[in-house]
Amino acid sequence: MSRASKTELAVLGAISVQPMSGYAVRAAITETLGHFWSESFGQIYPTIARLEGEGFIERDADGKTSGSTYRLTRAGRRRLVTLLHEPIPPAPPRNGTMLRLFFGGLLGAEACRGILDDARLRAEEQLAALEAIRDEVQAEIATDPDARYRLLTVLAGQHSARAQIAWVEESLELLAM
Amino acid sequence: MSRASKTELAVLGAISVQPMSGYAVRAAITETLGHFWSESFGQIYPTIARLEGEGFIERDADGKTSGSTYRLTRAGRRRLVTLLHEPIPPAPPRNGTMLRLFFGGLLGAEACRGILDDARLRAEEQLAALEAIRDEVQAEIATDPDARYRLLTVLAGQHSARAQIAWVEESLELLAM
DNA sequence: CCGAGCATGTAACACGTTACATGATTGC
DNA sequence: GCAATCATGTAACGTGTTACATGCTCGG
């Protein structure tokens, strides 16, 4: 995963599902990959321009006057599979919640409990959102076996959110002692 | 947490524990905050220069010829506490493992199992590392009550790593069906 | 004396977001 | 017709890493 690759991978992946515009790519990433990925227009449009220049995607020759619909070329599909095979180096950790909590002695127990409550709230919201998505994806598996993989990413989110909640509970007990 | 703040917070936090050089700040962050935070020299040195210019840290007047030892000024301590009180906006999610897994249909079950095995391996290593740190920190609590807060960050890492492992187990079973 | 580690700093680059500018389409 | 949404693009900015250049200090 050397150059210009993570955004490229996300964009190619989105377009591989079905041909769409840059705007729709953004929407697809926000809605469908939203719980583990994000891209902004400022990244997406230049990437699309480059991918088109390199022949990995091409415009649909439909009659629309405004907006372009892009679809993968054969080279684009090969490129996508290649990128998927390359490991993505893990990002250096940067967890603001932990940074603040680490220096909790300077903050006071009150404020720290606030941080923990916030963390729990966010995890609970996420958990609820994933619950719904999970049902959808589970239903898709019947018609599309590849939906299994999508299910895995939802499960990961659920495990992570539940772990977060359990951690908050344990932490609050510890602080109460 | 508006401007120039996360690195500033980490640097002030490190120096608040005890006076040290920029090089030592880097080492402290890597070793002690390593499982949830990271900073590079390219960030640390300019930040230290700025903090000194703003009067939040000052050089120790010791007799050393090479290297400077910085300590917090009174304003610096106030600044640190202020920064700790400000919430840190959560970073947009970007999980490369999930991005690859989501398009697992194009990758094949074999490669996906490889991704999962990797994820489990990393989580197990992390878990082992945290186990040792946890014992250390737990021992410190007897003499330093503030060590509790440090313990919380270790617990978070453990919860997260265990959740990751459980997710991999469940995922491998799902793929094997 | 020499190599390992301590120490400082910067320049180039990569990546990503935000804000802005601009216009087409469509449903009410 | 007008508002919401679809759609495209860019410029400015912030942030962060990597690689490089440089020199000190101390133990063996």
Side-chain angles (χ1 to χ4, degrees):
Chain A
M1 191 103 334
S2 42
R3 60 187 197 194
S5 46
K6 297 206 289 289
T7 295
E8 188 180 335
L9 177 51
V11 169
L12 285 173
I15 293 177
S16 82
V17 175
Q18 64 169 313
M20 61 178 84
S21 68
Y23 187 90
V25 166
R26 160 70 193 245
I29 289 174
T30 303
E31 284 158 29
T32 312
L33 314 182
H35 54 102
F36 60 81
W37 202 259
S38 77
E39 295 288 351
S40 63
F41 285 130
Q43 291 278 101
I44 288 173
Y45 283 115
T47 298
I48 282 180
R50 196 167 51 71
L51 287 172
E52 191 185 13
E54 292 172 342
F56 293 136
I57 59 178
E58 61 189 4
R59 280 164 213 253
D60 248 356
D62 61 2
K64 294 257 179 131
T65 52
S66 118
S68 304
T69 302
Y70 294 93
R71 85 174 100 72
L72 283 194
T73 62
R74 209 177 294 178
R77 178 159 294 265
R78 276 200 305 274
R79 174 72 172 157
L80 172 54
V81 173
T82 302
L83 288 177
L84 282 173
H85 274 282
E86 292 178 26
I88 294 180
R94 282 193 137 232
N95 186 325
T97 301
M98 296 307 150
L99 185 58
R100 293 173 74 202
L101 230 36
F102 188 89
F103 298 108
L106 294 164
L107 250 179
E110 195 63 27
C112 287
R113 274 192 290 272
I115 291 174
L116 289 166
D117 285 337
D118 273 4
R120 174 164 51 185
L121 194 64
R122 260 178 291 133
E124 278 165 354
E125 283 170 1
Q126 167 126 115
L127 201 52
L130 289 173
E131 207 96 18
I133 297 176
R134 187 206 157 116
D135 293 341
E136 276 177 49
V137 178
Q138 197 118 48
E140 289 170 28
I141 293 183
T143 57
D144 177 11
D146 286 354
R148 289 160 156 231
Y149 297 107
R150 274 169 264 153
L151 183 61
L152 298 192
T153 68
V154 178
L155 293 180
Q158 290 184 308
H159 275 275
S160 167
R162 279 192 222 106
Q164 178 105 338
I165 292 168
W167 165 70
V168 169
E169 305 293 358
E170 188 178 343
S171 294
L172 287 174
E173 275 175 40
L174 245 157
L175 288 186
M177 281 170 38
Chain B
M1 191 102 334
S2 42
R3 60 189 197 194
S5 45
K6 298 205 289 288
T7 294
E8 188 180 335
L9 176 51
V11 169
L12 285 173
I15 293 177
S16 81
V17 175
Q18 65 168 314
M20 60 178 84
S21 68
Y23 187 90
V25 165
R26 161 70 193 244
I29 290 175
T30 302
E31 284 158 29
T32 312
L33 314 182
H35 53 101
F36 60 80
W37 202 259
S38 76
E39 296 288 353
S40 63
F41 285 129
Q43 291 278 103
I44 288 172
Y45 282 114
T47 299
I48 283 180
R50 195 166 52 70
L51 287 172
E52 191 184 13
E54 292 172 342
F56 294 136
I57 59 177
E58 61 188 7
R59 280 164 214 252
D60 247 356
D62 61 2
K64 294 256 181 137
T65 52
S66 118
S68 305
T69 301
Y70 295 93
R71 87 175 97 72
L72 284 194
T73 63
R74 209 177 294 179
R77 178 160 294 264
R78 276 199 306 274
R79 174 74 172 157
L80 172 55
V81 173
T82 302
L83 288 177
L84 282 173
H85 274 283
E86 293 178 26
I88 294 180
R94 280 192 138 232
N95 185 325
T97 300
M98 297 307 150
L99 185 57
R100 293 173 74 202
L101 230 37
F102 188 89
F103 298 108
L106 295 164
L107 249 180
E110 196 61 27
C112 288
R113 275 192 290 272
I115 291 174
L116 289 166
D117 285 336
D118 273 4
R120 174 165 49 185
L121 194 63
R122 259 177 292 133
E124 278 165 354
E125 284 169 0
Q126 167 125 116
L127 201 53
L130 289 173
E131 206 96 18
I133 297 176
R134 187 206 158 116
D135 292 342
E136 275 177 51
V137 178
Q138 197 118 46
E140 289 170 30
I141 293 183
T143 57
D144 177 11
D146 286 354
R148 289 160 155 231
Y149 297 107
R150 274 169 265 153
L151 182 61
L152 297 192
T153 68
V154 178
L155 293 180
Q158 290 185 307
H159 275 275
S160 167
R162 279 192 222 105
Q164 178 104 338
I165 293 168
W167 165 70
V168 169
E169 305 293 357
E170 188 178 344
S171 294
L172 287 174
E173 274 175 40
L174 245 158
L175 288 187
M177 280 170 38

